[in-house]
Amino acid sequence: MSTYKKMLVAIDLTEEAPQVLNKATAMCSAQGAELLLVHIVEPVGYAYGGDIPMDLSELQDQLDKAAKEQLGKYGEEYGIPQVNQIVSVGRPESEIHRLANDHEVDLIIVGSHGRKGFQLLLGSTANGVLHGTECDVLAIRIR
């Protein structure tokens, strides 16, 4: 097995995030790797199909601020420097791919609920990250 030098862990800021962070930080420690902690905020317009003729920038700013605060708490708790904490806005799969390329990441770590059948067809971030990245991907089973 190859040694990883830089890992990216993408979390969704739910109560399940520590399950992924515990394993990601343990792997980083064992490998002596650098860890990037990432959360992607989907643009508010996506939720409404972009068809609402109103300015949603204030709401988007509030979501971004709340995400940065929560990510900062996880970063502090898990000893991840602020410079390695990234909140980005966009489609999760695309942004994770972009960040992995920009930061020359060896391994992407994401949580997975292990959905099957119809639920999987509706979309899984872990599945989307797996298909389309050039580096290894590790899906941590969320229970």
Side-chain angles (χ1 to χ4, degrees):
M1 181 175 182
S2 64
T3 301
Y4 298 109
K5 295 180 179 145
K6 191 179 283 190
M7 300 179 192
L8 180 156
V9 60
I11 61 171
D12 61 7
L13 303 180
T14 65
E15 65 279 352
E16 298 164 334
Q19 293 179 50
V20 178
L21 282 167
N22 287 332
K23 290 186 179 179
T25 54
M27 284 189 64
C28 271
S29 180
Q31 297 272 326
E34 179 180 1
L35 184 62
L36 298 176
L37 177 60
V38 172
H39 174 70
I40 310 301
V41 178
E42 290 196 58
V44 176
Y46 282 177
Y48 300 103
D51 294 336
I52 296 180
M54 58 187 338
D55 183 10
L56 300 172
S57 59
E58 187 174 324
L59 177 58
Q60 187 72 58
D61 290 344
Q62 290 174 353
L63 291 172
D64 295 350
K65 182 181 178 191
K68 287 177 183 172
E69 288 174 6
Q70 184 61 44
L71 198 73
K73 289 177 186 176
Y74 280 126
E76 186 175 328
E77 181 178 346
Y78 287 88
I80 301 167
Q82 189 170 14
V83 69
N84 285 6
Q85 300 171 25
I86 302 168
V87 173
S88 185
V89 177
R91 294 190 51 90
E93 299 88 348
S94 300
E95 281 301 295
I96 292 168
H97 290 155
R98 183 186 66 77
L99 290 167
N101 287 332
D102 289 355
H103 292 274
E104 300 177 352
V105 167
D106 304 302
L107 177 68
I108 298 171
I109 303 169
V110 293
S112 175
H113 289 93
R115 293 185 177 104
K116 297 177 183 173
F118 187 65
Q119 289 178 323
L120 183 59
L121 291 174
L122 291 176
S124 161
T125 299
N127 190 49
V129 169
L130 176 62
H131 300 287
T133 188
E134 295 180 17
C135 67
D136 292 345
V137 177
L138 174 64
I140 305 292
R141 175 79 61 198
I142 294 173
R143 303 194 190 284

